[in-house]
Amino acid sequence: MKRVFTIGNFRFTAITSRLIRIEYSDKKVFENHKSQVVINREPIDCECNFHERDDIVEITTSHLKLIHTKNINKLCKESLSISLNVNGEMVSWNPTIRDNANLKGTTRTLDNTNGEELELESGLLSKNGWYILNDSKSLVFNSSGWLQPRKHPDNVDWYFFGYGHDYKNALLDYTHIAGKIPIPPKYAFGYWWSRYWNYSDTELRELVNDFNKYDIPIDVLIIDMDWHKTYGLGKHSKNYAPDGSLVGWTGYTWNNDLFPEPKQLLDYLHKKGLKVALNLHPASGIAPMEKCYDAFKAEYECCDRTKYIPYRMADENWKDIYFKHVIKPLETEGVDFWWLDWQQFPTSKVIEGLNNTWWLNHVFFTEMEKSGKRPLLFHRWGGMGNHRYQVGFSGDTRASWESLQYQPYFTATASNVGYGYWSHDLGGHFPNGEDTNPELYLRWVQFGIVSPIVRTHCTKAANIERRFWKFLSHFECFKQAIHLRYILIPYIYNNAKLAHDSGISICRPMYYEHPDDDMAYEYKNQYYFGNDMIASPIVSPLDNKTQLAEKSTWLPDGEWFDWSSGKSISGNRVYTDNYSIDEIPLFIKAGSIIPVNNKIANTANIGRDIKFFIIPGESGETELYEDDGFTTDYLKGVYSKTSLKGTRESNKYTLEISNEIGSATDENSVRDISIEFINSFKPVSITLTPDKEFEVQYNPKSLSVTISFEKTASETINLVVEFPETETKLLNSVKRQFNRFNYACEKLKYEVARDDWSGTIPDSVNRFQQTLQRVEYNPLSAIEELSDLTNKHKAIIKDLYKHPSLNKEFFAWFELFTTCEE
């Protein structure tokens, strides 16, 4: 079926049913080379009809109708229009209509911002239901893969996306023409440590040992610019390189006073399971004092021996020499990837109009692809098409609540241009006039747990601290948050594959799923975190009196499970709750099956064993995606998948786990499977088909049941679990109830002891606090013990009201903090 139509000075290409390329050329010469943004124009098989009558040409697909008037030989509303259905209403577009309802995309950096709302670039999605991608000014690739200007720069090269409110299909179409979102290596989803600091070899070893000592998993260590010689760089520097940067800002020679044997340090870090990145500021070129200077100059004659070799990455010969003599030797020593911290002149001095950030990202990523290992970059946004080169560095923000409040919206909205892997300086980069606020830092890290990349960072300032164990009162909360991230990595990795296949990023705005609901646009600081969760990070401080933070979340229609409280909630409403310092508002679709890890030190220790959380609800299903995590073999189809489907009828739950399929599957391999039922009583009966041994663990502290067994890859397993015939609503908020009660009881004991060293607290308090311990000793008592908690709590409050050592202020706090709705 014909899809490309040349009519006079116009050329139209129906690429998909929702996407038409529109070209206009005075010379009737059109562009066929790949561009910076569009690298594939191959039409997808879909219905496309061409009709011509008199001077009118019609090109129709199942979603669009393009009308062109042949005798009007210019791009105007009289010559061209496209009609489409937007939410049940026919809409007509022409070249004079401007998009006034664009939902925005992203921007290059958050440098020096303090939470103010920025003017983001336009994104692919608009409430108008259409978008024009103007590719007229982007450069194109020649046959050897190098950029060059367009031969006819005055041509018009537009891509009309007409999707109505089917936003997800717009992103799918975009990644069809602009390239897939690559899956980062699995280690990228672990915790990254970064700090602008004059670290030495010894200090970094001690730092890594501290992470192990304090049981904080870590995967990535970034060494900022002081890894290389900086030649006295500082506040009072007056020595400038030819590009205007201070001497020492750019560097490629290890500072052997700090790092006597760099390769030995890198080998040590690799043995600890870490990946290492170094910071680069390439703008000054190659200085004469650099170790690599002579080898570079021998192949690139451009200046005398005493002068800098200027930065010319857009010169193909310069690029080849740069990677041969500068980058590859460092990678051979053990550098795993690079932080491309480009902050200098925006456009190339070699190719006019070339964005330096965009090109730097492209070149480094494509060079890494040649190595066979899965590429990973850490860099700034360079514009459309940069979604092909993850991960983004959002820049140097102020450490303030205002900065934190902006980042959830900023992160999710970037998915509108496919840029789904923003990494923020968790905690903020610059101090905001005060020492580190541990509460603000913790809430930032908690946001990071439910964002694409978890990386703490800050500048070289004496009043900023980022080591979790330096905040004794908050340390356990930091540790709990990082461990939650590692638990969720299989779920996150599943959604990374979804982003690759569909263009739908891990963090995406609510309107992707609910385009016709105004609330989806109004609640900007929450977002879908993968397919099955809604994250609604806390971005404001605790109330001084209650020690709780209020947060309102719009929950769409359906049933949801609040991970923090253990409460099942009906949606189609704005849900307001109060959260303690250790809680992250994370709402999971009822019945979801969530693939998770057991406790691990880092992703290098992930084995074949796997766990699945069964979230309270009627039914659910998922597909576990697995590949090797570090090569590009997944692009060749080398991976495996396992499907799970669960159904709940009354008190009986049935789970089917399929055999593994895919070219990476070894049919004879055996793995340990754990199925953890969240918010459950101990089962009455368990049946496995085929019949095999299994282990059951009931954990009253987490109110969960875990069933473990071995599974061969070729097997299909059916698990049937029967629970006691009782209302599971008995468990609503029980998790939160006892977490808060234990915390408050510790304060209560101190409060009583403050007034009376021999004073005691009521037995009703002790009895209530030991509820879960009694259940652990006698699991069959769970239903009785957990029934009527509200009245049991009211009795405690009455007893405490009479206590002679409690002042009214403390009593009021205790009552409010420990009262949890069932």
Side-chain angles (χ1 to χ4, degrees), residues 45 190 517 548 691:
D45 187 27
D517 196 316
L548 298 170
D691 186 30

Side-chain angles (χ1 to χ4, degrees), residues 328-389:
K328 296 302 180 187
L330 290 165
E331 291 180 344
T332 300
E333 285 184 319
V335 178
D336 295 290
F337 67 101
W338 300 94
W339 176 6
L340 304 180
D341 198 3
W342 184 271
Q343 299 167 308
Q344 290 73 36
F345 44 97
T347 56
S348 170
K349 298 178 181 179
V350 177
I351 298 178
E352 185 178 353
L354 175 59
N355 180 307
N356 270 321
T357 303
W358 194 100
W359 185 240
L360 198 63
N361 298 339
H362 169 80
V363 169
F364 264 82
F365 198 87
T366 51
E367 284 292 324
M368 287 185 75
E369 283 180 313
K370 298 175 184 177
S371 70
K373 67 181 182 180
R374 196 177 301 184
L376 179 68
L377 282 182
F378 184 39
H379 57 81
R380 296 171 190 262
W381 163 254
M384 296 294 278
N386 253 197
H387 69 283
R388 299 192 295 267
Y389 321 120

Side-chain angles (χ1 to χ4, degrees), residues 30 372 463 590 676 797:
F30 302 101
N463 62 339
E676 183 171 341
I797 298 303

Side-chain angles (χ1 to χ4, degrees), residues 523-548:
Y523 279 76
K524 296 181 178 181
N525 261 8
Q526 63 179 73
Y527 48 87
Y528 272 94
F529 183 57
N531 270 355
D532 300 312
M533 301 184 187
I534 293 173
S536 183
I538 300 292
V539 292
S540 59
L542 297 171
D543 180 89
N544 286 331
K545 289 185 178 180
T546 66
Q547 290 300 293
L548 298 170

Side-chain angles (χ1 to χ4, degrees), residues 675-718:
I675 309 298
E676 183 171 341
F677 291 87
I678 305 298
N679 263 29
S680 291
F681 294 109
K682 189 172 182 180
V684 174
S685 68
I686 299 170
T687 306
L688 267 180
T689 308
D691 186 30
K692 57 175 59 192
E693 292 184 359
F694 59 86
E695 181 181 344
V696 182
Q697 290 183 323
Y698 180 59
N699 187 339
K701 298 293 195 308
S702 62
L703 299 168
S704 65
V705 176
T706 303
I707 303 168
S708 304
F709 49 87
E710 287 188 345
K711 178 184 180 300
T712 305
S714 59
E715 283 184 310
T716 294
I717 299 286
N718 280 281

